[in-house]
Amino acid sequence: MKSYIVWTFLLALLPAAAAMADVYSWKDANGQTVYSDQPPPNVAARKLNVRAPAAAASSAPMAEKKAAKQPDNKQVASDNAAIAANNAKVKAQNCASAKANLATLQQNGRIRMPGSTAIANDAQKQELIRQAEKDMQTWCGK
């Protein structure tokens, strides 16, 4: 897996390296055209012009796009306030549910185990009460 990542990285760098390196062309003994970054000794190799194209003339369009992507600070503040209000509402609902659950567990003598029809024994009932108290502390801060 690691070698796959290394090779992918190296292949991604190859076009940039090729744009910077000199490239030579020549015919070998069999008449085949050969391309390389180093000319062979005692052979008339031709240096090819393979430079990368120049960058865009102006960066102004990029700056305009960047400015258009940035959200308005007032809108962000408004969205954050709405999210905070919704989170407070959910926290209050969860607190009320945790209090009701704890009261039910403390008042009833016979408690059914969650997801079952079996009646909880004393140890299980104490564990359910402990978890309900923990939930109440989480949601109500008490």
Side-chain angles (χ1 to χ4, degrees):
M1 181 66 177
K2 289 181 182 179
S3 65
Y4 174 78
I5 294 170
V6 170
W7 280 109
T8 302
F9 177 72
L10 290 176
L11 286 175
L13 291 178
L14 186 61
M20 300 298 289
D22 294 330
V23 177
Y24 298 91
S25 170
W26 68 92
K27 299 268 185 188
D28 67 5
N30 296 329
Q32 298 289 324
T33 303
V34 179
Y35 299 94
S36 177
D37 63 340
Q38 296 179 353
N42 303 327
V43 174
R46 186 174 58 140
K47 186 175 179 180
L48 302 176
N49 184 8
V50 290
R51 299 288 178 219
S58 173
S59 63
M62 182 64 84
E64 290 172 6
K65 286 182 183 178
K66 197 172 191 179
K69 285 184 180 179
Q70 292 180 343
D72 182 23
N73 286 342
K74 291 179 184 177
Q75 180 65 36
V76 170
S78 173
D79 291 347
N80 287 342
I83 290 169
N86 191 40
N87 286 346
K89 180 180 174 183
V90 169
K91 186 175 180 179
Q93 290 171 342
N94 289 342
C95 176
S97 294
K99 284 181 181 179
N101 187 30
L102 180 61
T104 300
L105 289 170
Q106 289 173 336
Q107 292 172 0
N108 291 332
R110 298 179 70 189
I111 304 292
R112 293 195 187 275
M113 290 298 293
S116 173
T117 58
I119 303 294
N121 62 30
D122 288 339
Q124 292 170 326
K125 182 177 176 182
Q126 290 304 317
E127 178 60 26
L128 290 171
I129 290 173
R130 188 192 63 74
Q131 182 61 48
E133 289 170 342
K134 184 178 175 185
D135 291 344
M136 196 171 115
Q137 188 176 35
T138 298
W139 294 110
C140 303
K142 296 179 182 177

